[in-house]
Amino acid sequence: MSPDVPRPAGKRALLAGPMGACLANYDFGIYGTMSALVLNKVFFPSLSPAAGTLAAYGTFAAGFIAKPLGGLIFGRIGDRFGRRTVVVSALLLMGVATVCIGLLPTYAAIGVTAPVLLTVLRLAQGLAVGGEWGGAATLAVEHAPEHKRGFWGGAVGVGGPIGSILAALTVLPLSAALSDAAFASWGWRVPFLVSALIVGAGLWIRLGVDESPVFRREVAPAARPSLSGVVRRNGRQMALVFFIAGAAVSGIYLLNTYTLSYAVAHAGISRSTMLTFSTSAQILAVVAAILLLPRVDRIGLGRLYRISAAALAVLAWVLFAALDSGNAALIVLALSLGQIAVNSMVISSVPIYVLLFRPADRVTGAGFSFKTSDAILGGTTPLVAGLLVQAAGSGWMVAAYVTLLAAAAITACTVGRRLLPSTTAAPAVAARKVDA
């Protein structure tokens, strides 16, 4: 452990990042599912079913639009006032917004004010999610021993899929146990309110984390630049993060979102069956990611990322072939391997995003560029995939699109390795492996 970090604070710093990522993915997963199932009925009842669903998805999209702005706002706070301030305040905002959605009166109770408040709360969620990631990733990497930065930073990436799994495991039993009327009346609120438990645990952990030793030691008040200075000095690094992240976030939304609609429309698989396949694959992939984490630093961050991105490019073709076959075993296998590839990309790239920037610019640079990629390339993946399938009649153009993004990400990762700093601790292992 780094001599700058007291042992208890270091352990909490290791857990602080995954907790925020877990809550973020839980919140977005719950909202996305509820948008399809019930929010159109309780907040947009005056619209037709199709128009109401589109309106509900519009509020879902508002969260994506707010992510880059959150990365910018909270990034400036993190680089000027400290990483700990960001991870606590963003988590609190995220939790309050989610719980308030669960308590929000419906259209029948307060009229048009209900969907307006829903949109405002979604924007608040997006701001918080966009802001907390950069702070959490930076805090974890800066607290980590130099020869374990892959392990500590990668742990932030593991929290996300765990949150997605928790969201699925919360919604599925409720939707199965309750009647449609009960679910529309009060059952949909339960998953939003349950997030308070994650927020409470996350706040307890994060309030016990010391400020980053790197921030205290290296980011003097006089060295904290303006936003224009951050962008001007880090344009290349921000572009690299955008493209490195692009393949991973697109893979996430392809596997977790678009495959559901493709399977129903083109392979004749029921939505509930495909949800079961998808959740099973996510669970297997999280187990694989947890087993991989302790080995990340030995393998090398860049090396693991490039191997995983190449695997995703191949597996995109395999995935659509499996879906078209309708064979359950092949579908679960393809989904599982795809999820493992994406998770490996995520856990190996988080430390790279942070280390590409100097300490005074890290939360802003890493958070804003990553969340911009998440919104532009990740959030649009289901739409792009749907248009490509409509044009081609099958999934081969989507696989080609993922392959193109993977190639761009591998190129950006290869260029970015030359900008990563050398380490000083354990030079025979750490310096070689972080830059590999």
Side-chain angles (χ1 to χ4, degrees), residues 1 21 67 70 109 116 119 125 134 144 147 151-152 164 188 214 231 243 271 280 296 303 329 346 354 380 421 431:
M1 178 162 300
K67 280 184 179 183
V116 171
T119 303
Q125 275 188 325
H147 63 290
F151 176 78
W152 283 55
S164 298
W188 67 272
V214 174
V231 175
F243 286 107
R271 181 170 294 274
S280 301
V296 168
R303 182 178 297 115
V346 171
V354 174
T380 60

Side-chain angles (χ1 to χ4, degrees), residues 35-89:
S35 295
L37 295 178
V38 71
L39 294 185
N40 59 324
K41 301 171 186 176
V42 298
F43 287 103
F44 304 97
S46 61
L47 301 177
S48 67
T53 300
L54 288 175
Y57 276 131
T59 60
F60 182 66
F64 279 95
I65 295 170
K67 280 184 179 183
L69 182 59
L72 207 57
I73 294 172
F74 282 94
R76 301 308 299 138
I77 295 172
D79 286 329
R80 294 183 69 84
F81 303 106
R83 289 64 160 121
R84 185 177 181 273
T85 303
V86 168
V87 298
V88 172
S89 58

Side-chain angles (χ1 to χ4, degrees), residues 106-118:
T106 64
Y107 185 94
I110 60 174
V112 72
T113 305
V116 171
L117 290 176
L118 180 66

